[in-house]
Amino acid sequence: MAVEESEQVIPDLEREDNLIAAARHIVMALGSKKNLTSDEKKILSDLGSQLSSMNIQSEKDEGKIGKREDDLDVEDEVDEEDEEGVGVIEERIGLIQEKIMKWEEDQSMIWDLGPDEASEYLNAANDARILIEKLESMHLSKEDQEYKFLQRAYSVLQTAMTRLEEEFSNLLIQNRQPFEPEYVSFRSTEEDVVDGSSFVSLGDESFEESLRRDSVSRAAEEHVIDLVHPAVIPDLRCIANLLFASNYAQECAQAYTIVRRDALDECLFILEMERLSIEDVLKMEWSTLNSKIKRWIWAVKIFVRVYLASERWLSDQIFGEGEPVSQVSFVDASKASILQLLNFGEAMSIGPHQPEKLFRILDMYEVLADLMPDIDALYPDEVGSSVKFECHEVLTRLGDCVRITFLEFKNTVGSNPSTTPLVGGGIHPLARYVMNYLRTLTDYGEALNHLLKDQEEEDAISSSPDTSPGTEEDNRSEGSPGRFPSMSRQFLSFASVLENNLEEKSKLYKETSLQHLFLMNNLHYMAEKVKGSELRVIFGDEWIRKHNWKFQQHAMKYERASWISILNLLKDEGIHAPGSNSVSKTLLKEKLRSFYLGFEDIYRIQTAWSIPDVQLREDLRISISVKVIQAYRTFVGRNNSHMSDKNIRYTADDLENYLLDFFEGSQKLLQNPHRR
């Protein structure tokens, strides 16, 4: 009978020329039958399977589960139930249940067996969902016969959803792509750690070399990778769509979050980021901590710009770009890991404010500040506000730590006491340390100027007095602030604090001449350090000119204190006999003897003194020679006729050669065979 009716409808198929007419014809034919033969059931079952396979392929191409043509079978069957009773519904749910329940006995993962099995299961689960929707639309009561079919369909759907959650998680896990950041390298920093305790003993070059910052090119950081094999993304999207359509959105999102959270933890492990408590960080030795800071700086850039960016992209691929569930899933999966990284930053911000840590704290501040636009873009919605808030909070704390460390170090320098003078009056380690410290800080100009500006604004609001003694330089810098006005004012203030400290240290020397030599050395060093580095932009040429004048003044005062007494011996006053204009040989001989004794004494003392700068040392020797050797040569020449050769202990050339031994930091004695 079905065949006869099929023959009658052929003209209709030809006229309409589409599958919809054929589907309607089949439904009409089924409406007149109470029972189906086994052959008819087999044909219809094969037809349903064929349509299911065709539909799943279409869904993968489109990336979501749409309304399929086999949905028409379920809808039309339910629409015809008033005519044919509940038989069709019961049979339909039986077929669906059979396809779903057979996998409960088989523990194999369906998607591991191939696309056909996966398509059949996915379509069966979707059929159960559609059938439930139709039955629910009938507003059934418990007395209705169809009600038990609805409960049965609920049970089947729940079984299918549980299985799909497992398949979803398994696909995510088994198809995870290995994360190996080969496009960036990380050199172990154990060999070049900066030990703050040894800063003051380092020379200029080694100091700067030790503070050189590691960097990772931004081009290498901005790279989205496939965290899950691209081939399974359509399958994951189909499963997710069906779970969401079946009101299992929370379960789907939770399954995704659990898997991806573990993957993010594994990423941190690969990046060698340990899970450290604040107490662990605070207890670390500086050498170990310094190495971990460097790794954190490197890892956080890779984690945010590569891994989190890729994680967000994966979430958008599966759940849909811009969809709330995509953002929620991403936040839930990534929150713990990003907070783990931020926890290290927070620990660093509350640790002791030691000056040697300032550069690393600034590195951390700069990298986190640079990443904030990326983080804001990754967490744009309210659901990610807690992550953004924590990032901004840690950034603020790191900035506070920078300001406090800088200002505390300046205050420490200002109050740094000394009880023992530096041997030889050379460049004090504190002067080297502070000036190299300031020069290295110029690498952080933008960030440091911003932070110090905030500090100045806070000071202005609270009307707290300026505790720094460098008001003159500060006022001058305000007149021509330059590129980094706040940084300029603070650096000038810091330099003034250092100068005052050096003034106090100079007073530890008993010899006035050595006091001036010490200040000459250190002020010259400061001026040269500024003139020959980026500090020139910060301090300005006026500061350099003033300090050049200052150290020259101390050089003149040194000469006066050291040589004025013996230069007075080379004057003609006091060499004439009383009441006569004739030269007294005895007085002349005594003057020469006193001059030689004075020169030898100065030689013995000042050969042990030090002028580290070669040019400054040479310039001072020349200046001494011009004054002392020239005076000696003139005095001897003018009185040559009144003394014999045995009275001349040293020639002018001898004395000039002896001056070459001055300020080498190695004490010497004059050994002259003619000495009396």
Side-chain angles (χ1 to χ4, degrees):
M1 182 174 181
V3 174
E4 293 177 359
E5 293 182 9
S6 297
E7 290 175 352
Q8 293 174 0
V9 85
I10 288 176
D12 294 332
L13 289 173
E14 291 175 349
R15 285 193 300 269
E16 297 185 24
D17 193 28
N18 57 52
L19 291 175
I20 300 297
R24 288 175 176 166
H25 168 69
I26 292 173
V27 171
M28 291 175 59
L30 289 172
S32 60
K33 295 181 67 66
K34 297 297 183 182
N35 297 300
L36 295 174
T37 65
S38 58
D39 289 341
E40 289 171 334
K41 287 182 180 180
K42 185 177 184 307
I43 291 172
L44 291 174
S45 178
D46 290 343
L47 178 59
S49 297
Q50 181 65 26
L51 290 173
S52 297
S53 298
M54 293 171 64
N55 271 307
I56 287 298
Q57 184 61 41
S58 173
E59 288 161 16
K60 288 187 178 181
D61 293 339
E62 295 296 326
K64 66 178 184 177
I65 296 178
K67 189 170 184 179
R68 307 189 314 273
E69 287 155 1
D70 62 333
D71 294 348
L72 294 172
D73 297 338
V74 179
E75 294 171 9
D76 289 339
E77 287 170 2
V78 175
D79 289 339
E80 296 295 324
E81 55 140 346
D82 291 336
E83 301 178 16
E84 59 181 337
V86 296
V88 173
I89 298 176
E90 183 176 13
E91 187 168 354
R92 184 64 179 176
I93 197 171
L95 291 173
I96 295 171
Q97 187 172 18
E98 180 182 351
K99 293 178 181 179
I100 297 299
M101 297 309 295
K102 73 176 183 179
W103 290 103
E104 295 304 298
E105 300 174 1
D106 189 343
Q107 296 303 312
S108 302
M109 301 309 294
I110 301 171
W111 263 257
D112 291 345
L113 301 178
D116 292 341
E117 289 79 359
S119 297
E120 181 183 29
Y121 192 88
L122 202 60
N123 286 321
N126 194 40
D127 288 344
R129 176 189 67 82
I130 295 172
L131 182 59
I132 287 173
E133 289 180 355
K134 294 302 180 181
L135 290 173
E136 287 177 338
S137 68
M138 298 168 62
H139 305 292
L140 300 171
S141 64
K142 292 184 179 181
E143 290 74 21
D144 294 327
Q145 187 175 3
E146 294 88 345
Y147 183 79
K148 66 177 182 179
F149 297 143
L150 178 59
Q151 297 304 310
R152 184 178 169 189
Y154 281 147
S155 177
V156 171
L157 183 64
Q158 183 175 0
T159 300
M161 294 298 104
T162 302
R163 182 56 178 259
L164 286 176
E165 288 176 39
E166 296 174 2
E167 296 286 339
F168 185 75
S169 297
N170 185 65
L171 280 174
L172 285 171
I173 294 170
Q174 296 302 321
N175 292 278
R176 183 188 301 173
Q177 297 281 76
F179 176 64
E180 298 175 359
E182 297 175 354
Y183 43 87
V184 288
S185 61
F186 183 79
R187 177 173 53 85
S188 174
T189 56
E190 297 294 345
E191 298 176 359
D192 63 346
V193 291
V194 181
D195 185 355
S197 62
S198 64
F199 273 2
V200 294
S201 65
L202 295 174
D204 292 353
E205 295 305 319
S206 59
F207 183 94
E208 290 156 16
E209 188 69 25
S210 67
L211 294 178
R212 188 167 295 162
R213 295 178 290 157
D214 298 324
S215 63
V216 180
S217 67
R218 182 163 182 128
E221 299 157 15
E222 295 176 338
H223 185 71
V224 175
I225 58 177
D226 290 317
L227 302 178
V228 172
H229 199 287
V232 300
I233 296 298
D235 294 290
L236 290 167
R237 191 162 53 235
C238 283
I239 296 174
N241 285 339
L242 182 53
L243 286 167
F244 274 71
S246 304
N247 297 320
Y248 281 77
Q250 183 176 351
E251 290 81 357
C252 179
Q254 185 176 6
Y256 177 87
T257 298
I258 291 171
V259 174
R260 296 313 306 165
R261 186 186 295 147
D262 291 343
L264 283 163
D265 287 341
E266 184 179 332
C267 169
L268 291 181
F269 177 78
I270 293 171
L271 294 174
E272 299 182 27
M273 293 307 305
E274 302 174 56
R275 192 181 298 275
L276 299 170
S277 67
I278 292 177
E279 291 74 17
D280 293 334
V281 175
L282 296 178
K283 291 177 182 177
M284 282 185 187
E285 294 291 331
W286 170 241
S287 58
T288 302
L289 185 58
N290 182 56
S291 180
K292 291 191 179 298
I293 292 171
K294 285 185 174 183
R295 178 163 287 279
W296 184 91
I297 291 167
W298 170 79
V300 73
K301 288 187 283 191
I302 300 302
F303 188 75
V304 172
R305 289 200 172 126
V306 178
Y307 207 89
L308 285 188
S310 301
E311 189 68 39
R312 179 61 193 268
W313 185 54
L314 174 64
S315 180
D316 286 344
Q317 281 185 297
I318 294 174
F319 298 115
E321 184 174 358
E323 293 295 326
V325 66
S326 176
Q327 178 66 10
V328 170
S329 299
F330 167 72
V331 171
D332 289 345
S334 62
K335 186 175 182 178
S337 297
I338 192 70
L339 291 182
Q340 178 183 334
L341 287 172
L342 292 174
N343 189 61
F344 182 82
E346 181 179 2
M348 289 303 306
S349 71
I350 65 176
H353 302 129
Q354 298 167 340
E356 67 269 19
K357 293 182 179 180
L358 180 59
F359 304 103
R360 293 296 174 223
I361 300 295
L362 271 166
D363 285 333
M364 296 177 71
Y365 176 87
E366 279 194 337
V367 72
L368 191 55
D370 189 44
L371 289 173
M372 285 313 303
D374 302 81
I375 293 170
D376 289 339
L378 287 168
Y379 302 94
D381 302 324
E382 181 66 26
V383 68
S385 60
S386 62
V387 176
K388 286 194 295 185
F389 176 79
E390 286 299 322
C391 290
H392 283 280
E393 277 292 297
V394 171
L395 182 65
T396 299
R397 290 174 191 147
L398 287 172
D400 291 341
C401 182
V402 168
R403 287 197 299 269
I404 294 170
T405 302
F406 179 85
L407 295 175
E408 284 189 1
F409 180 43
K410 183 174 74 170
N411 293 334
T412 300
V413 170
S415 61
N416 179 262
S418 293
T419 57
T420 305
L422 178 69
V423 176
I427 301 170
H428 199 281
L430 183 64
R432 290 187 185 274
Y433 181 53
V434 170
M435 295 309 295
N436 281 298
Y437 197 90
L438 294 179
R439 182 162 74 168
T440 305
L441 284 176
T442 60
D443 292 342
Y444 305 87
E446 295 287 351
L448 189 57
N449 187 70
H450 169 71
L451 293 172
L452 294 177
K453 180 182 178 182
D454 289 347
Q455 182 64 40
E456 289 182 338
E457 290 174 352
E458 290 178 12
D459 291 343
I461 293 173
S462 61
S463 299
S464 60
D466 184 6
T467 57
S468 68
T471 55
E472 182 181 348
E473 286 83 357
D474 291 348
N475 291 336
R476 183 182 297 114
S477 73
E478 289 176 358
S480 54
R483 183 180 174 191
F484 303 123
S486 298
M487 190 171 166
S488 177
R489 284 187 286 272
Q490 290 293 338
F491 275 32
L492 288 165
S493 173
F494 206 145
S496 294
V497 169
L498 175 60
E499 284 183 54
N500 288 351
N501 183 286
L502 294 171
E503 287 276 0
E504 292 301 314
K505 293 185 188 307
S506 72
K507 296 175 184 178
L508 297 172
Y509 296 105
K510 295 179 180 179
E511 303 93 338
T512 302
S513 55
L514 185 53
Q515 292 178 5
H516 292 298
L517 186 84
F518 172 77
L519 290 172
M520 177 199 72
N521 273 326
N522 285 275
L523 291 175
H524 174 268
Y525 174 80
M526 292 173 66
E528 288 298 303
K529 184 63 67 174
V530 170
K531 184 168 64 175
S533 71
E534 299 82 358
L535 287 172
R536 185 167 196 156
V537 177
I538 305 297
F539 281 75
D541 291 340
E542 178 62 27
W543 186 94
I544 296 173
R545 283 191 292 270
K546 178 178 179 179
H547 284 73
N548 281 338
W549 178 85
K550 279 187 175 183
F551 86 75
Q552 289 167 2
Q553 288 297 305
H554 284 294
M556 292 172 58
K557 291 177 180 178
Y558 152 79
E559 290 180 1
R560 190 177 299 118
S562 292
W563 298 99
I564 192 66
S565 59
I566 66 171
L567 282 173
N568 286 335
L569 294 171
L570 299 177
K571 294 180 180 180
D572 288 340
E573 291 86 351
I575 63 172
H576 298 89
S580 171
N581 290 328
S582 61
V583 175
S584 170
K585 292 183 178 181
T586 301
L587 293 175
L588 184 61
K589 179 181 176 181
E590 186 62 31
K591 272 208 165 192
L592 273 177
R593 183 174 178 276
S594 296
F595 172 80
Y596 292 143
L597 288 175
F599 185 88
E600 289 168 357
D601 194 48
I602 293 174
Y603 180 90
R604 175 182 59 82
I605 294 172
Q606 296 195 15
T607 52
W609 293 0
S610 174
I611 300 180
D613 186 85
V614 175
Q615 189 60 52
L616 180 61
R617 184 167 64 239
E618 183 64 23
D619 289 345
L620 189 58
R621 285 171 179 168
I622 292 172
S623 180
I624 295 170
S625 178
V626 168
K627 295 177 178 67
V628 178
I629 306 304
Q630 185 60 38
Y632 175 75
R633 183 178 280 116
T634 301
F635 180 79
V636 171
R638 186 168 55 244
N639 297 288
N640 187 49
S641 60
H642 302 292
M643 53 184 142
S644 62
D645 289 343
K646 64 180 181 180
N647 298 133
I648 306 299
R649 189 180 300 177
Y650 306 108
T651 67
D653 289 341
D654 289 335
L655 296 179
E656 195 158 18
N657 287 331
Y658 290 144
L659 284 178
L660 298 178
D661 294 330
F662 277 58
F663 316 126
E664 294 286 350
S666 176
Q667 190 177 57
K668 295 182 179 181
L669 298 175
L670 281 178
Q671 301 293 335
N672 189 286
H674 303 293
R675 182 173 181 178
R676 297 179 181 179

